[in-house]
Amino acid sequence: MTSIERTLRADARRNREKIFVAARELFARDGDNAQIEEIAAHAGVGIGTVYRHFPTKQALLTEMVKTRFSRFAEIATDAEQIEDPGIALETLIRQSAEEVDGDAGFQLAMMGSEELEWEGIEQEKAAFAEPATRIIERAVAEGKIRSDFTFGDFPMLMCGITSTMYFAPGGAEWRRHVELVLAALRP
């Protein structure tokens, strides 16, 4: 939960979540062509409610990505507690992929949507990068994964997986993609 979500009233949090759900569905259907008016109608809230939370489509997409990175940080922190660093990394990759399955808005953002404003996500990205980097470095040091893998490679892998999700929705292809990635990482 982001700091904004913690301070909102319960009804405002519910509206915000309805907007996120509607946006995910419409981004899945329409891609970057999804419009705020359609998102509001699909969420069952007024257009003013959407604009109170998100003054632009970019702000909405950015907040959706920020929320995802907050969740990735939680996943990484939990995975870091796993004793075997190879299993920790596998858990990080699999759970991160599961987290974004069906979230076409996030998938579009990872593929370079022009609607995303990366500014303002730095804190969430850093909170994720710190434990994820430690997991990767520990796995490399213990010979669980190939020695040339670094955290800098992680976004590229995840972008590939999310693009598989986006272009093959509902299929199991992205899970196969994850397994191939994991196999390629092993020494």
Side-chain angles (χ1 to χ4, degrees):
M1 189 177 288
T2 66
S3 59
I4 291 172
E5 290 172 318
R6 282 188 285 268
T7 61
L8 292 174
R9 294 183 336 250
D11 61 332
R13 273 196 309 274
R14 283 190 299 274
N15 284 342
R16 191 176 173 83
E17 186 55 35
K18 286 182 197 176
I19 294 165
F20 279 170
V21 169
R24 285 183 198 117
E25 290 175 12
L26 292 179
F27 281 127
R29 187 186 76 196
D30 301 334
D32 277 335
N33 294 323
Q35 298 299 312
I36 291 288
E37 295 79 13
E38 294 173 287
I39 292 169
H42 198 70
V45 300
I47 189 76
T49 299
V50 176
Y51 282 121
R52 252 190 315 283
H53 289 278
F54 311 105
T56 64
K57 185 166 69 169
Q58 293 97 344
L60 170 58
L61 189 56
T62 300
E63 190 62 29
M64 291 172 69
V65 171
K66 183 185 270 191
T67 300
R68 284 289 179 219
F69 271 98
S70 292
R71 179 67 184 120
F72 291 156
E74 293 170 10
I75 291 168
T77 300
D78 290 346
E80 191 175 19
Q81 304 309 309
I82 298 171
E83 189 173 325
D84 182 309
I87 294 173
L89 180 60
E90 289 181 16
T91 299
L92 176 64
I93 292 171
R94 281 191 182 106
Q95 287 185 0
S96 295
E98 288 286 344
E99 183 68 23
V100 300
D101 182 24
D103 185 348
F106 184 82
Q107 295 161 12
L108 281 169
M110 293 300 95
M111 291 186 296
S113 171
E114 294 177 18
E115 300 292 339
L116 180 65
E117 297 171 354
W118 284 102
E119 297 81 28
I121 302 175
E122 295 86 0
Q123 182 178 345
E124 290 76 12
K125 286 175 68 179
F128 164 68
E130 291 168 10
T133 298
R134 289 189 297 266
I135 290 169
I136 291 166
E137 289 174 351
R138 194 169 54 120
V140 167
E142 292 191 25
K144 300 288 184 169
I145 61 171
R146 50 188 296 153
S147 62
D148 63 341
F149 186 71
T150 68
F151 178 75
D153 298 319
F154 191 86
M156 173 184 53
L157 293 181
M158 294 310 295
C159 286
I161 293 166
T162 57
S163 67
T164 300
M165 288 175 183
Y166 185 78
F167 290 110
E173 292 83 4
W174 73 262
R175 287 180 176 83
R176 174 80 173 137
H177 190 156
V178 167
E179 294 309 314
L180 291 171
V181 164
L182 292 173
L185 288 176
R186 292 183 189 105

